[in-house]
Amino acid sequence: MFITFEGIDFCGKSTQVELLQKFFINKGREVKVIREPGGTLISERIRDILLDRKNSEMKMETEFLLFSSSRAQLVREIIIPALEKNIVVISDRFHDSSTAYQGFGRGLDISKINVINSFAISNVIPDITFLIDISVEECLKRKALRSNIELDRIEISSNTFYQKVREGYLKLANEEKRFVVINGTQSIEKIHKIIIERISLIKKGLIDEN
Ligand code: T5A
């Protein structure tokens, strides 16, 4: 089973990924957790280039192709082999991030994004994608709470950019059945409960509810 988490920065994905990982481990399932960009040696090196604030001259086309390169490596080196071994794979971001951030956010042609996304992911489509939805105002509030940590190259983007990304995500979720949109301002526990319920629904045989 391949599960992905999406949403604008600070929406609470990583928190939920960690809880879901613990849930599967407690159920005796083998789980592989990955993050994007990153997850392999090569992909982590690409991540450093992408998020480094010194690279302010990076063009949006370059940015998109670097995210795609990182993903192409991750899919072939980690995701496909894990799924073949029946390991549950949970990814903190995947190709929808490129559609939302580089497509809707930066304004790159969505049809071109779709072609390159397909090439990078090699038909490895998530079984379920949780979109943790928060407003840009909530994102800013959470960002302010983390003022001790230096923001990366993408986190310093404008509110208008984040608004476009959020709207893009909601549009995608409306078009594709695999998405589950969750209000990210609910408590961490409540969101986790919703996630478990949805996974149980789609994969009855995978999770022993008793
Ligand atoms: N990107 C990525 C692209 O532009 N294109 C792409 O194709 C891809 C793959 C990645 C950046 O790259 C961009 C998107 C990103 O800008 P990253 O460092 O991996 O950079 O950043 P994020 O994926 O955004 O991860 P973050 O850690 O910043 O945010 P999360 O994972 O959404 O949130 P989390 O769980 O760390 O929580 C954020 C804060 O909110 C609190 C947490 O305690 C934490 O302080 N929180 C809650 N507060 C209230 N209520 C809740 N329910 C909460 N849940 C968590």
Side-chain angles (χ1 to χ4, degrees), residues 7-16 35-37 47 51 63 67 71 92-95 97-98 101-102 138 142 146 152 154-155 162 184-188 191:
I8 62 172
D9 295 44
F10 306 105
C11 68
K13 294 175 287 82
S14 312
T15 306
Q16 294 301 328
R35 66 166 179 185
E36 272 228 51
R47 177 186 176 92
L51 301 186
E63 180 180 88
F67 277 118
R71 184 168 302 130
D92 191 339
R93 299 195 179 281
F94 197 52
H95 68 309
S97 284
S98 282
Y101 278 76
Q102 281 65 54
E138 181 66 22
R142 293 186 191 179
R146 290 234 305 238
D152 63 43
I154 295 182
E155 285 168 342
Y162 277 113
T185 59
Q186 301 174 92
S187 73
I188 290 172
I191 296 173

Side-chain angles (χ1 to χ4, degrees), residues 139-210:
C139 165
L140 292 176
K141 247 173 36 194
R142 293 186 191 179
K143 202 187 276 194
L145 289 175
R146 290 234 305 238
S147 55
N148 54 330
I149 299 169
E150 202 195 353
L151 298 175
D152 63 43
R153 193 181 60 83
I154 295 182
E155 285 168 342
I156 55 172
S157 302
S158 70
N159 297 351
T160 319
F161 171 76
Y162 277 113
Q163 186 59 36
K164 287 186 200 160
V165 175
R166 183 191 181 200
E167 285 165 12
Y169 266 130
L170 291 171
K171 190 165 185 289
L172 280 179
N174 207 25
E175 287 165 358
E176 290 205 48
K177 271 189 160 170
R178 67 184 158 83
F179 275 91
V180 176
V181 183
I182 303 177
N183 174 355
T185 59
Q186 301 174 92
S187 73
I188 290 172
E189 297 71 28
K190 170 86 180 142
I191 296 173
H192 178 59
K193 191 165 175 278
I194 296 171
I195 290 168
I196 297 306
E197 282 168 1
R198 291 306 294 243
I199 289 177
S200 307
L201 272 181
I202 66 157
K203 214 77 179 170
K204 276 279 186 223
L206 181 69
I207 297 161
D208 176 12
E209 286 292 339
N210 305 314

Side-chain angles (χ1 to χ4, degrees), residues 14 20 36 60 103 131:
S14 312
L20 187 58
E36 272 228 51
M60 55 186 173
L131 170 57

